[in-house]
Structures are given as structure tokens and as C-alpha cells.
Amino acid sequence: MRILLIEDEKRLSHFVKKGLTENGFAVDQAFDGEEGLYLAQQETYDVIILDVMLPKMSGVEVCKKLRSLKKETAILMLTAKSELEDKIEGLDSGADDYLTKPFEFAELKSRINALLRRSYHQVSNNLTVDNLEVDPLKHTVFRNKKPIKLTPKEFAILEQLIRQKQEVVTRTQIIEHVWDYNFDSLSNVVDVFIGTLRKKIDKGEKVKLIHTLHGVGYMITDKKPKI
Ligand code: CA
């Protein structure tokens, strides 16, 4: 999952980015409102974390602008003050949720996860297909009740596939949602990751879950994929 973090406090921004990256998220940072607005329009994000008090353009203005441009990306607003008025203004401008500073990282993570669940129309935190269980919040993977250890990037790709299970996910979609904007999209790194994921998830299992649809993309399903 890919996140745009628009926050001018450098220390907080780096702390949040570090935590999210360790949890398998790809994070792009913007340090003022204009830069944030530009990136939000140019790139594909699953969630935008948007501070209210920003140089050049406030978070509320950025949010209003994005909604007026019909950008529907989930927006989590950060407000330094806990006054009701700021929260109402943020939500009225089109934000989906807000979090008051200072906050615990665990709380940020569960708010992000709730927004992702909404965007991908999921009711439960536990993502499953056949006997594979992925918990994005606890960051655990089980196949047939046995734990599987994945690297953050492997986890991120698996999470993307399973959030869109039974659907084709193209290589471009994976790159857009799993890597930040420094990624060189010409490399075959996605195929390499799919290869290692398949070894960890499907090796020795009767039902193969990760399928390659040549020239189209990938799909996670316990049925025979049809396109
Ligand atoms: Ca700020």
C-alpha cells in the first residue's frame, strides 16, 4: 500500500515514514501544501496523511482542491489542536478521518488500516484465500495455520494481491501501490518478488494461490483463473 505523507515537521515526518516503511508501506513525503497537492495529482496513493497547518497551502485547502478535482483517495488529517472546530472543518473539506497530535504510531496504523479496508470494501481485518491468512495490522501471514516469514516488500505485494483477490493485478498496479516514486519501473523486480513469494506461499501446497497471467499480470485465487 502506498502513502503520501504531507507534513512540514521534518522529525515527525521521518519518524512516521520510518515506521510505515518497516510495516511494508511505500511512503512519499511532501513538506508543504503545494508539493503535496502536486504529488497527490501525479501519483497513485491508497491513503494521504495530511497535516492541517502547512506552509504555502493549508491541509484544508489541499483537501478541498483534491475533492473538487474528483480525487477520491482516502485522506487522514492530522491536527495539532483538539478543538472540535478544526475537526469539523477538516471533515467538511472532504477528509475521511482525523487524528490529533501527538498520537501513538499504533493508532495511526489502525486508522490507516480502517481507511484501506473501506477503500477496498473489506469488512474484516483478516484477509483470507483458501487456507492463507494475512493480517495487515499484526503483519502476520499463515498458510494452513503455519506462520510464514516475509520481507516488508514481499508482504506489501501479497497484501495488494489479497486485497484484490480473484482480480487481475497488473505489474503497473503493483509498482504504483508498493514502491515510492524513486522506483525504476523498467526493472523486472516485480517478477523476482513474485517468484520468492510463490516459493514461500505455494511450495508443497496442493492448491496453488499465486497465478501469473502472461502479458496481463498476477492474481491470487483458489480457483482456476479465467480472464
Ligand atoms: Ca504542520
Side-chain angles (χ1 to χ4, degrees):
M1 301 285 109
R2 187 168 171 199
I3 291 184
L4 174 60
L5 174 59
I6 312 175
E7 166 61 75
D8 59 314
E9 285 166 51
K10 292 226 160 69
R11 270 186 62 190
L12 177 62
S13 178
H14 291 308
F15 167 77
V16 169
K17 177 171 177 164
K18 186 169 175 280
L20 290 174
T21 307
E22 283 166 4
N23 279 276
F25 288 96
V27 182
D28 291 339
Q29 290 163 293
F31 297 97
D32 65 62
E34 280 176 8
E35 186 189 15
L37 179 64
Y38 174 78
L39 281 175
Q41 291 178 83
Q42 294 301 310
E43 305 285 324
T44 306
Y45 296 102
D46 295 293
V47 175
I48 298 172
I49 303 173
L50 178 59
D51 187 30
V52 172
M53 304 282 275
L54 288 169
K56 295 188 185 171
M57 200 174 176
S58 81
V60 170
E61 286 174 273
V62 171
C63 190
K64 280 187 185 154
K65 184 77 190 161
L66 286 173
R67 293 313 187 220
S68 77
L69 295 167
K70 306 276 174 255
K71 270 269 170 196
E72 288 174 354
T73 316
I75 295 178
L76 173 63
M77 261 195 179
L78 300 180
T79 156
K81 297 165 264 170
S82 55
E83 276 112 32
L84 193 64
E85 259 175 59
D86 292 314
K87 289 174 189 167
I88 292 170
E89 198 189 4
L91 293 172
D92 279 352
S93 69
D96 298 276
D97 198 3
Y98 64 85
L99 193 55
T100 306
K101 293 184 195 173
F103 51 82
E104 298 283 330
F105 184 73
E107 164 128 51
L108 175 71
K109 225 172 81 176
S110 61
R111 298 291 187 98
I112 291 170
N113 200 57
L115 291 175
L116 289 173
R117 229 167 41 215
R118 230 189 284 169
S119 309
Y120 285 91
H121 311 289
Q122 278 134 7
V123 281
S124 141
N125 259 332
N126 219 11
L127 307 168
T128 61
V129 58
D130 190 52
N131 56 4
L132 177 70
E133 294 170 65
V134 177
D135 186 327
L137 213 47
K138 291 194 196 124
H139 227 257
T140 53
V141 180
F142 290 90
R143 178 101 203 238
N144 205 9
K145 308 279 180 219
K146 281 198 294 271
I148 297 171
K149 246 182 118 55
L150 298 182
T151 66
K153 276 284 175 272
E154 289 166 359
F155 188 93
I157 293 173
L158 181 64
E159 184 182 350
Q160 190 66 43
L161 291 174
I162 202 165
R163 281 192 192 274
Q164 295 179 259
K165 69 178 173 184
Q166 332 288 4
E167 286 174 32
V168 180
V169 183
T170 65
R171 187 181 279 110
T172 310
Q173 279 174 315
I174 291 178
I175 290 166
E176 280 177 351
H177 289 270
V178 173
W179 274 274
D180 62 30
Y181 59 27
N182 298 313
F183 181 66
D184 165 19
S185 60
L186 292 175
S187 70
N188 70 338
V189 70
V190 175
D191 310 75
V192 175
F193 275 107
I194 291 281
T196 59
L197 255 182
R198 191 173 272 140
K199 255 186 225 146
K200 292 184 180 183
I201 303 291
D202 280 340
K203 201 176 174 194
E205 296 284 341
K206 229 162 70 200
V207 181
K208 307 292 181 206
L209 298 177
I210 300 173
H211 300 269
T212 302
L213 304 152
H214 287 287
V216 189
Y218 308 95
M219 188 191 288
I220 199 160
T221 178
D222 51 356
K223 304 176 186 86
K224 198 175 158 45
K226 294 184 285 236
I227 46 163

